[in-house]
Amino acid sequence: MLDYVNWFRHSTPYINQHRDCTFVLMLPGEGLAHPNFSNIVHDIMLLNSLDVRLVLVHGSRPQIEERLSARGINSRYHNDLRITDMDTLACVTDAVGALRIAIEAQLCTQQQGARLRVTSGNLVTAKPIGVVDGVDFHHTGEVRRVDRKAISRHLDEHDIVLLSSLGYSPTGEVFNLASEDVATSVAAALGADKLILFGEDTGIRDEQGELLRELKPTRAAPLLGKLGNSLPGNLLRAACKACNAGVRRSHIVSFAEDGAMLNELFTRDGSGTLVAQEAFEQIRSATIDDVGGLLDLLRPLEEAGILVRRSREVLETEISQFTLVERDGTIIGCAALYPLEGSTSAELACVAIDPNYRQGGRGDQLLQHIESQARSLKIDTLFVLTTRTAHWFRERGFVPSSVERLPAKRAELYNYQRNSKVFEKAL
């Protein structure tokens, strides 16, 4: 019970952050057929109740294959794209129509008086791929235009917009589209805050099988070469395309893992792979808006006697001295640099890393940043006063010093009752 309470408390910033945001969700046909789909529906309902604007794009590949097999029709591909002749198109429309009805039925299920409204329609205009390498793709198409105004209007009405892998041409033709193409095109057209892509695995893994928590599109090329046109490869390709088209963040999560989307959206570390242009974690200078987050980070360490207590007023006054490690909008580390008047020395103070993030070398990165900052200020010696972390500083080049070595004005402020050890490092 306590774990649930703590999770709910820590999710509050994300609840506020996501309100009135636009999310495009892409669920492949494999996800619709998985037993966990009913849980994903509940999670979609929850997001809707939290005032998240939702577009759900669904795929249908395995369902199409089932219908083709039942009718004795062989699947034909070229460059990993399905060739959609008239017989195949009949199977495509049959599969998509049945899936849309099933999804609408589940989303429209009333839950304790809360009823969702689902909207669909000819909101995506398509064009034919045509003939490639002498191969006629018939009714296989690609997105030509997204009716952004109509979709936005439905979202303003608090509807969930449901889109399939079918598109329509101005001449009345129907085209079979890749659901990833629909999802990325819609996300880009709407300027969506997030594109959430569901795959079978937890996210994208490196060559050693380790989950990649964060990935920039520029670093994805080797992985895309390895993954090819598999489902993970298609999802990663779509995530990169969306980011390059202006969507700030794309998330790849598992459709097989219960609650994967909620963990990705409402916890600091998430559960899948985040693909984003900007740094998910960064070192930056503090501003006055960071005082509340700093207090949350420092209070436990102050209560344990590791750091000297600083009031909100002191932090507000000294905020320009602080450098922060920020992870997805949350402060997980800090350090302060105080140049000492009348000398070429400075004091390094208030070095703190959230206990949950002390194994990632962040303290070293923060120290390197502070040292670089000090050098730019023509500081040649760093002093640090500590009671509990002497070994950490000694391992990083600080040597034992004394109060007498401190510049006079700083030595006058030394707290003999606290009895901190003094260390220094030549820059």
Side-chain angles (χ1 to χ4, degrees):
M1 184 62 170
L2 184 59
D3 288 342
Y4 167 76
V5 171
N6 287 332
W7 185 91
F8 199 67
R9 285 171 177 162
H10 285 99
S11 69
T12 302
Y14 298 100
I15 293 173
N16 294 326
Q17 189 180 103
H18 298 331
R19 185 173 288 116
D20 296 324
C21 287
T22 300
F23 293 178
V24 176
L25 317 181
M26 200 292 286
L27 192 61
E30 293 87 345
L32 298 174
H34 195 276
N36 192 50
F37 173 58
S38 59
N39 292 323
I40 295 174
V41 169
H42 287 298
D43 294 344
I44 291 172
M45 290 177 172
L46 175 59
L47 290 179
N48 180 261
S49 71
L50 295 174
D51 293 328
V52 178
R53 296 153 56 92
L54 295 171
V55 178
L56 174 59
V57 179
H58 73 87
S60 53
R61 288 188 184 99
Q63 291 82 2
I64 293 170
E65 292 295 337
E66 287 176 6
R67 284 160 174 78
L68 288 171
S69 178
R71 299 184 189 185
I73 302 172
N74 292 324
S75 296
R76 291 192 297 144
Y77 291 86
H78 180 69
N79 292 338
D80 293 302
L81 278 177
R82 185 190 298 279
I83 299 170
T84 311
D85 57 21
M86 286 302 297
D87 289 337
T88 302
L89 183 62
C91 294
V92 171
T93 55
D94 182 23
V96 169
L99 287 172
R100 191 184 79 176
I101 292 170
I103 294 169
E104 287 182 348
Q106 290 221 37
L107 287 173
C108 289
T109 302
Q110 292 193 32
Q111 294 234 336
Q112 297 182 354
R115 186 176 183 276
L116 298 183
R117 191 166 55 198
V118 181
T119 300
S120 191
N122 58 337
L123 299 169
V124 176
T125 302
K127 61 181 179 180
I129 287 179
V131 178
V132 179
D133 299 328
V135 177
D136 189 350
F137 278 87
H138 298 283
H139 287 272
T140 299
E142 56 190 2
V143 175
R144 178 179 180 181
R145 186 177 65 86
V146 173
D147 194 340
R148 179 183 58 81
K149 289 184 178 179
I151 295 175
S152 296
R153 187 167 62 250
H154 290 304
L155 294 176
D156 290 341
E157 293 294 326
H158 208 57
D159 296 356
I160 292 179
V161 177
L162 177 62
L163 301 175
S164 70
S165 54
L166 292 181
Y168 309 90
S169 74
T171 56
E173 293 179 285
V174 180
F175 289 97
N176 179 27
L177 311 175
S179 54
E180 295 88 354
D181 184 23
V182 176
T184 54
S185 298
V186 171
L190 294 176
D193 299 277
K194 291 183 183 293
L195 171 62
I196 300 170
L197 302 153
F198 287 87
E200 189 169 8
D201 201 356
T202 309
I204 302 299
R205 298 184 179 275
D206 62 17
E207 294 181 353
Q208 288 72 44
E210 294 293 323
L211 177 65
L212 296 170
R213 294 286 185 183
E214 178 193 359
L215 188 63
K216 288 187 177 182
T218 53
R219 302 291 298 275
L223 288 168
L224 288 171
K226 175 188 173 187
L227 294 170
N229 288 292
S230 63
L231 179 57
N234 289 335
L235 297 180
L236 179 56
R237 196 170 290 106
C240 294
K241 180 181 175 182
C243 286
N244 291 331
V247 179
R248 289 184 62 244
R249 293 186 173 191
S250 296
H251 303 259
I252 300 173
V253 299
S254 171
F255 60 67
E257 179 184 330
D258 187 13
M261 178 170 63
L262 297 184
N263 278 322
E264 179 71 9
L265 294 174
F266 295 101
T267 63
R268 194 181 301 170
D269 292 326
S271 65
T273 298
L274 166 67
V275 180
Q277 294 284 14
E278 77 275 15
F280 180 55
E281 186 172 306
Q282 61 178 325
I283 296 177
R284 63 172 178 83
S285 299
T287 70
I288 194 68
D289 295 330
D290 297 314
V291 170
L294 266 176
L295 285 169
D296 291 339
L297 174 67
L298 299 178
R299 281 292 174 260
L301 297 171
E302 292 172 352
E303 291 169 0
I306 298 172
L307 295 177
V308 176
R309 183 176 291 275
R310 288 169 170 81
S311 66
R312 176 180 285 272
E313 291 74 20
V314 168
L315 280 177
E316 288 175 352
T317 302
E318 300 179 352
I319 194 66
S320 62
Q321 313 300 132
F322 279 80
T323 297
L324 309 178
V325 182
E326 182 185 60
R327 183 179 177 84
D328 198 23
T330 300
I331 297 170
I332 63 168
C334 71
L337 181 68
Y338 296 94
L340 298 174
E341 188 178 348
S343 74
T344 56
S345 302
E347 181 181 357
L348 171 64
C350 208
V351 179
I353 300 292
D354 185 303
N356 296 313
Y357 296 93
R358 288 180 183 167
Q359 303 303 315
R362 294 174 179 85
D364 291 301
Q365 295 170 20
L366 191 55
L367 178 59
Q368 289 172 11
H369 188 93
I370 290 289
E371 289 180 358
S372 176
Q373 181 183 349
R375 291 188 185 97
S376 69
L377 296 173
K378 308 300 182 186
I379 289 167
D380 57 27
T381 306
L382 271 185
F383 286 96
V384 65
L385 282 68
T386 181
T387 57
R388 303 272 290 276
T389 56
H391 67 285
W392 190 88
F393 290 103
R394 294 195 67 168
E395 290 167 1
R396 285 151 183 84
F398 284 81
V399 297
S401 186
S402 64
V403 177
E404 291 73 26
R405 286 276 300 163
L406 291 170
K409 288 190 176 182
R410 178 62 183 91
E412 292 172 3
L413 299 174
Y414 180 80
N415 185 342
Y416 284 91
Q417 185 175 358
R418 184 171 172 80
N419 196 27
S420 299
K421 295 182 181 297
V422 181
F423 291 86
E424 65 177 275
K425 183 178 183 179
L427 300 179

